[in-house]
Amino acid sequence: HAIDRTDAGLQFEVEDNNNYFVGEFGILSHNCSRARGLREAVEAAPTDLLRPQVHHDLPQVFRSRFTELGIDIDLPEFTRWVEGNWHQTWSRAFNAEWQDFLRQNRTRDEIIDFMNRMRNDPRFRQQR
């Protein structure tokens, strides 16, 4: 079904869940309320992205663990713009990699190092 209108909606956050389906058409919602603020905080989206989304390189599902180490995952240095359709194809695998990594207690430096390695992993880099 094609959706040919935009309606005002409610802003809410589903605790401990980054992705969820909304409405009769099962529209995928991702990072809704925080992403809106992030979009204002980071530089403008690249013009070559058709469906730009702000991606957290430190997954939101682990927000409390990062916060305990003094890391604010909503800072622009921990986010990047990605193509929305592409983003949805790998976000589950991305979070699974983080879950495996975080099975052990990690330092802030180890987390930042892992984040940088994940940014450079071809599976999670923008392909143009």
Side-chain angles (χ1 to χ4, degrees):
H1 297 278
I3 299 173
D4 60 358
R5 70 175 202 270
T6 302
D7 294 325
L10 299 173
Q11 294 298 315
F12 66 94
E13 183 175 324
V14 176
E15 185 176 353
D16 297 330
N17 199 344
N18 292 328
N19 300 301
Y20 46 90
F21 292 93
V22 178
E24 66 182 287
F25 296 110
I27 297 169
L28 181 67
S29 178
H30 181 73
N31 303 341
C32 275
S33 61
R34 285 197 172 96
R36 181 161 285 116
L38 272 172
R39 286 175 182 262
E40 295 168 4
V42 299
E43 62 188 40
T47 57
D48 61 336
L49 297 179
L50 299 176
R51 295 184 57 235
Q53 289 183 349
V54 175
H55 166 70
H56 284 85
D57 282 313
L58 299 169
Q60 294 185 75
V61 69
F62 307 113
R63 179 183 294 274
S64 62
R65 293 204 45 198
F66 299 133
T67 299
E68 288 173 7
L69 294 169
I71 302 171
D72 180 353
I73 69 169
D74 294 323
L75 291 176
E77 67 204 62
F78 302 129
T79 64
R80 60 186 156 123
W81 288 105
V82 296
E83 179 59 55
N85 290 334
W86 172 75
H87 188 209
Q88 298 308 320
T89 65
W90 55 261
S91 59
R92 179 174 286 169
F94 183 85
N95 286 348
E97 292 279 334
W98 272 100
Q99 184 172 0
D100 287 344
F101 174 75
L102 292 171
R103 288 191 195 284
Q104 297 178 18
N105 286 331
R106 302 293 185 166
T107 67
R108 185 181 198 285
D109 289 342
E110 288 173 324
I111 287 169
I112 300 303
D113 181 59
F114 186 74
M115 177 195 72
N116 288 325
R117 286 187 310 213
M118 292 287 282
R119 281 181 172 169
N120 291 314
D121 186 317
R123 297 173 297 160
F124 311 122
R125 286 194 4 225
Q126 190 75 25
Q127 306 295 320
R128 296 191 188 172

